[in-house]
Amino acid sequence: MMCEFTEDSITLRQRLAEVEVIGPFACGQIKLSWSDEPRPTSPRLESEIDRVWNSELASAQQAGAVLFNGDLVRLIDHHSVGSTLRIDVGPTDYKSFLGTNLRN
């Protein structure tokens, strides 16, 4: 099922995202909420993200590939309230994604 979300249900701020949902929810029962709240962090986490990013950059350069830190949308939370699925999303970037989810 493909659902389109209007600007009433999420402020896109020139970002595009695709949300895939499997379950007993119709399009009108899925609500997206955008938050500019930054992801939780610590000096140790930022150091690990930098380590992974630098390693991936070196690998990309050796392979002649291009790696860039583009904007992404991250999942903050999701929960159902009655028959509605609420999905909270916010900003992130590829570097953070690599260092927190993809490689760790």
Side-chain angles (χ1 to χ4, degrees):
M1 162 180 50
M2 292 291 293
C3 301
E4 292 189 24
F5 296 94
T6 64
E7 290 189 33
D8 293 349
S9 61
I10 186 169
T11 303
L12 293 176
R13 299 191 184 175
Q14 297 181 347
R15 291 177 168 85
L16 299 175
E18 183 174 307
V19 178
E20 295 183 10
V21 176
I22 296 174
F25 303 101
C27 288
Q29 295 173 306
I30 302 169
K31 303 296 180 195
L32 291 179
S33 176
W34 180 268
S35 172
D36 284 323
E37 180 181 327
R39 67 170 166 71
T41 192
S42 69
R44 183 176 172 200
L45 177 59
E46 294 305 315
S47 177
E48 179 64 9
I49 291 169
D50 286 339
R51 183 193 68 75
V52 169
W53 181 252
N54 290 331
S55 174
E56 293 294 323
L57 273 177
S59 294
Q61 288 170 348
Q62 281 183 334
V66 176
L67 181 64
F68 68 97
N69 187 19
D71 290 338
L72 295 174
V73 175
R74 70 184 176 97
L75 173 67
I76 296 172
D77 193 15
H78 67 282
H79 53 276
S80 60
V81 179
S83 62
T84 300
L85 175 62
R86 182 180 168 103
I87 303 171
D88 301 323
V89 297
T92 192
D93 54 46
Y94 192 65
K95 177 182 174 180
S96 297
F97 171 69
L98 274 177
T100 60
N101 288 68
L102 191 60
R103 299 288 186 243
N104 288 309

